[in-house]
Amino acid sequence: MFGSTSVMQDIRKRIELIAATDVAVLLQGESGTGKELCAQLIHALSPRAKHPYVKVSCPVIPNALIETELFGYERGAFNGALSEKRGRVEQAHKGTLVLDEVGSLDLTVQGKILQLLEDGTFTRVGGHETLGIFTHIISIANGDLGRQVAEGSFRLELLYRINAVTISLPSLRQRKVDLPRLVEYFAQKHANEFHVTPRTISKDLLQLMLAYDWPGNIRQLDNLMRSYTVIGDESLVVQELAPSGTGRDKVSAEIDVTKPLSLKQITKSATKDLERQIILKVLQANSWNRQKTAKWLQISYRSLLYKLAEVGINHPETAEGHAEGLQNVVRPAPVEMRRLKPSLLETTIQLPVRA
C-alpha cells in the first residue's frame, strides 16, 4: 500500500518508530492521500492495538454538539440529558483517538483538547469532576493550520502540541511510480471483497492512468478500481479519466464584455479547447501513437489526423513522417484529383501534414 518510492519507505519507517511511543502526531496532505490509513497503521503497530481506535470526523458534527460528543456530559447538563454519557475521549481510553480535520474545531473545544494533551485530563459538559485519560492522539489536517493560526481560527499553542511529529503525505501525482503496485493492491482488495477473480488492466489503460493527475488521490483510485472490479469495462475507466470540465481540466473562456458577444463563437472556441485537451492527454498516454489514440477516442485514424490539425497539436515527429502517414489515409482517385481546383487540392493535402 505504501509503494516502493524512497518517500513512502521513509514514511513507513517513521510510522513504525512513532507507533512504539505516545507522542502526538499530525498527519497532513491533500484529501484522499491516505492519512487515515496511516493513522490506522500507527494504531495497529502500537502496544494499544488491542484497545479502541476511535475516529472523530470533526467537520461532520455541528459545533453545538462537538463538545458533548468529544467529552460527554453529566446528567442534567441540559434539557434531555437524563443520564450521563461517555464521550469519544473516554471511549478511546488506553487506545488511539483520531481527530480528523482538526482545523474545523472551534476555539473553545480546541482549549479542552489542549488541556487533554498537556496533562491527560478533561471535564464532562455540565460536570465539575476532573477525569484522567490515557490515549494516543493523532490529528489529521487537509488544510494549512499555519494559515489558520495567522487568521486567528486555530490556537498556536495547540498546533505546537499536536505536531510533535508531522508526517506529510504526498499526492498520487507526486508518486506515480507506485501506481502499478497500487492498482494491483486495490484489484486484489476488491476481488476479495466481492469474492471474484482479480481483474487485470491493459498496458494501454495503465499508460492512460499514469498520464492522469488524480485530483482525488488514493481514494479516487480505490473507488475506480472497485467499480472496475464489479463491472470489468475499461471504457468506463477511460471516461472517468477524461477531462470533466472541473478542477485542473476546467475550460475557461476569455470574454471581452466591452463589445457585443457571439455566444455561438464563444461556445465553439470552448468546445475546441476541451477537444484539444482530451486529444493531447490521450496522445501522451499512448506515447503519441496515433493509431492507439484513434482507437481510444473511437474515431477513425483519418479523423484523428484532421483533428490534430484543427486543434493545432504538433506531433514530435518530422513532417516527412506525417506525409508518409497521410499517404495511407488520403489517396483520392486520379479523376477526382483533376476535378479539384489547385487551391483546394493544396489544402486537402497539406492540412494533415501540418498536424
Side-chain angles (χ1 to χ4, degrees):
M1 178 60 199
F2 281 84
S4 57
T5 62
S6 59
V7 173
M8 299 311 296
Q9 289 174 345
D10 179 62
I11 289 175
R12 171 72 189 216
K13 291 178 181 178
R14 294 178 67 184
I15 285 175
E16 291 173 352
L17 292 173
I18 292 167
T21 73
D22 296 316
V23 64
V25 183
L26 173 62
L27 302 174
Q28 61 183 14
E30 294 180 15
S31 178
T33 50
K35 298 183 292 297
E36 187 180 348
L37 288 175
C38 285
Q40 293 172 354
L41 185 58
I42 291 172
H43 177 75
L45 296 176
S46 74
R48 299 171 294 277
K50 295 182 179 180
H51 297 284
Y53 172 90
V54 179
K55 174 193 169 186
V56 182
S57 297
C58 300
V60 174
I61 305 172
N63 286 337
L65 302 177
I66 186 66
E67 187 174 0
T68 56
E69 188 68 24
L70 280 170
F71 301 104
Y73 53 80
E74 296 287 354
R75 179 180 179 181
F78 49 84
N79 290 336
L82 303 180
S83 61
E84 69 175 33
K85 177 185 176 182
R86 296 169 65 241
R88 301 287 186 90
V89 169
E90 284 186 78
Q91 294 172 22
H93 181 49
K94 295 184 179 181
T96 301
L97 176 67
V98 179
L99 302 175
D100 191 14
E101 295 195 46
V102 66
S104 66
L105 294 174
D106 64 34
L107 293 173
T108 300
V109 175
Q110 288 178 31
K112 298 193 72 169
I113 294 293
L114 179 60
Q115 179 184 348
L116 182 66
L117 283 163
E118 287 178 342
D119 58 17
T121 65
F122 70 97
T123 303
R124 291 176 184 157
V125 175
H128 302 284
E129 180 183 2
T130 298
L131 304 175
I133 201 76
F134 176 71
T135 185
H136 188 204
I137 297 181
I138 299 176
S139 302
I140 295 177
N142 294 337
D144 184 353
L145 294 181
R147 178 182 54 79
Q148 288 189 236
V149 169
E151 294 173 349
S153 62
F154 200 82
R155 293 174 178 264
L156 179 60
E157 59 270 33
L158 179 58
L159 178 58
Y160 287 150
R161 281 289 183 178
I162 65 175
N163 73 345
V165 175
T166 299
I167 296 179
S168 297
L169 278 297
S171 64
L172 184 53
R173 63 181 173 275
Q174 294 173 315
R175 48 177 294 208
K176 288 186 179 178
V177 67
D178 292 329
L179 189 61
R181 293 188 63 183
L182 288 170
V183 167
E184 183 179 350
Y185 168 81
F186 286 124
Q188 185 64 58
K189 170 188 172 183
H190 295 306
N192 294 339
E193 177 184 354
F194 298 112
H195 306 289
V196 297
T197 302
R199 295 186 185 276
T200 58
I201 63 173
S202 66
K203 292 182 179 179
D204 288 339
L205 180 56
L206 180 59
Q207 287 301 312
L208 190 61
M209 296 172 81
L210 288 168
Y212 186 62
D213 279 340
W214 297 102
N217 292 296
I218 301 292
R219 184 181 296 118
Q220 182 183 7
L221 176 62
D222 185 8
N223 291 335
L224 191 63
M225 291 305 297
R226 179 185 291 109
S227 299
Y228 179 61
T229 299
V230 174
I231 300 174
D233 187 348
E234 288 196 352
S235 66
L236 297 179
V237 180
V238 174
Q239 292 176 20
E240 173 73 19
L241 303 184
S244 60
T246 58
R248 295 177 178 272
D249 299 315
K250 186 176 181 179
V251 177
S252 59
E254 295 295 333
I255 301 175
D256 183 3
V257 295
T258 62
K259 56 185 179 182
L261 303 174
S262 170
L263 179 60
K264 182 178 180 180
Q265 187 60 39
I266 293 172
T267 303
K268 181 178 179 181
S269 176
T271 302
K272 183 176 179 180
D273 186 37
L274 178 59
E275 192 172 72
R276 186 182 193 281
Q277 291 182 41
I278 296 173
I279 293 174
L280 182 60
K281 178 167 289 188
V282 179
L283 270 170
Q284 292 171 340
N286 286 296
S287 303
W288 289 85
N289 186 308
R290 291 171 291 176
Q291 292 283 3
K292 288 184 178 180
T293 298
K295 182 179 179 181
W296 273 113
L297 296 174
Q298 299 181 22
I299 60 176
S300 68
Y301 182 59
R302 178 176 181 172
S303 296
L304 177 62
L305 290 181
Y306 281 106
K307 287 292 184 183
L308 291 175
E310 184 181 11
V311 299
I313 296 178
N314 296 317
H315 195 285
E317 295 178 358
T318 63
E320 290 77 12
H322 287 286
E324 181 180 354
L326 177 63
Q327 292 173 5
N328 296 325
V329 179
V330 182
R331 187 176 296 171
V335 63
E336 295 176 320
M337 296 279 283
R338 289 195 295 269
R339 291 177 182 175
L340 293 173
K341 295 181 180 180
S343 59
L344 180 57
L345 175 59
E346 181 181 354
T347 302
T348 304
I349 294 176
Q350 290 186 359
L351 181 59
V353 176
R354 291 198 297 269

